[in-house]
Every structure is written in C-alpha cells, then in structure tokens.
Amino acid sequence: MDRGKPGSKMHVLSDANGLPLAVSLSAANVHDSEGLKPMVAGHQTKHDPFRGRHFKPQRLHADKAYDIPHLRKWLRGKRIGVRIARKGIESGERLGRRRWVIERTMSWLSGYRRLSPRYERNPRNYLAFLGLAAALCCYKRLVRLTT
C-alpha cells in the first residue's frame, strides 16, 4: 500500500479456466484485501431449478496480500475453501500452480488498448470498459469452444 499513489487497481474474480466472473475497481492506495469481500459477496450464485441446488465457489486461491485472519474466517463462514499462502510461513511458489490462471486473465484484460494505460478520468467509464473487456473475453472463449 502506497498512500500517495495515484491511479486504480483492477480486481478480478475468475473461474478455474480463467474466465472473468466479476470485475471491480479500487483506488491504487487501498490494500488489496479490502476488495475481496465485495467481489465474493457480489458474485451471484446460480440456482438450478431442476436439481434444486446452488452453484457457489468451492475454493479461493489468492496470494499473500489476502492472508488476513478475519478474511479467512469470513470465507470459512461462507463455506468456501481457502488456499492462501501464509505470510512468513509458506512460500508462494506452490500457489503458482493455480495462480497463473488469474495472471493470464489479467493479461487478457490489459491487452485491450483502452485499459492498459488508463485514459478515462471517470471511474465509472473505466469500470464499464473493464466489464466490456471481460464480456469480450468470455465471448471469444465461447466462440472458440463452439467452432
């Protein structure tokens, strides 16, 4: 966290294949862990009316910035498995086996010219372009799988 840093951070929640499920935006001088609760809480669970069950995230993989006891407790209360590297105890290398998926997703999103350097002054406009880029990533994957 850098108190004087201008700009913004993208927060992305993706599935195991790297498709962006939810995107959000925060100020650059806000700690990463403060964006986790709104992302997980904002992720809609899908209800299957035929089977009568909800589909919810089973596991959350994150880096050491999210290693805060109250976040772990909150995720356990939502019955989401936590796989976060612990500060000072565990190396982040083992987490890298799954972490590359979100890094690839961030690369897909930052590949759009409008997002890479932030041209938009209004955060609502930038968030709209971020959501559009996420939708385009999902559309490209759908086209590739169906053809």
Side-chain angles (χ1 to χ4, degrees):
M1 178 165 81
D2 185 10
R3 296 188 197 288
K5 187 174 181 183
S8 58
K9 289 182 189 176
M10 289 189 290
H11 298 280
V12 179
L13 183 68
S14 74
D15 67 352
N17 296 321
L19 289 177
L21 300 175
V23 292
S24 70
L25 192 65
S26 70
N29 61 354
V30 174
H31 196 266
D32 290 339
S33 64
E34 292 182 21
L36 181 67
K37 275 189 183 180
M39 289 291 291
V40 174
H43 178 63
Q44 299 281 329
T45 58
K46 186 170 68 174
H47 179 68
D48 186 2
F50 300 110
R51 295 185 182 146
R53 63 182 197 182
H54 290 275
F55 295 102
K56 66 177 184 73
Q58 294 176 355
R59 281 183 291 299
L60 178 82
H61 295 268
D63 59 0
K64 290 182 183 185
Y66 298 95
D67 183 29
I68 298 176
H70 74 84
L71 285 178
R72 286 180 178 271
K73 185 177 178 182
W74 183 77
L75 288 167
R76 267 188 248 117
K78 290 197 160 286
R79 296 184 181 180
I80 298 174
V82 179
R83 182 66 184 104
I84 300 174
R86 290 173 279 171
K87 293 179 189 173
I89 298 173
E90 195 172 354
S91 170
E93 293 175 11
R94 287 185 53 213
L95 196 59
R97 291 183 223 151
R98 306 268 185 207
R99 179 103 178 109
W100 69 271
V101 175
I102 192 68
E103 295 296 337
R104 180 185 63 184
T105 303
M106 296 294 276
S107 174
W108 287 344
L109 292 176
S110 63
Y112 288 96
R113 192 179 126 195
R114 195 73 182 205
L115 296 177
S116 177
R118 182 175 168 176
Y119 294 117
E120 302 298 323
R121 294 185 64 91
N122 191 346
R124 289 188 336 197
N125 293 346
Y126 186 74
L127 185 60
F129 281 118
L130 184 60
L132 183 61
L136 286 173
C137 287
C138 292
Y139 176 72
K140 285 180 180 180
R141 175 65 66 90
L142 178 68
V143 167
R144 198 174 79 205
L145 290 175
T146 57
T147 57

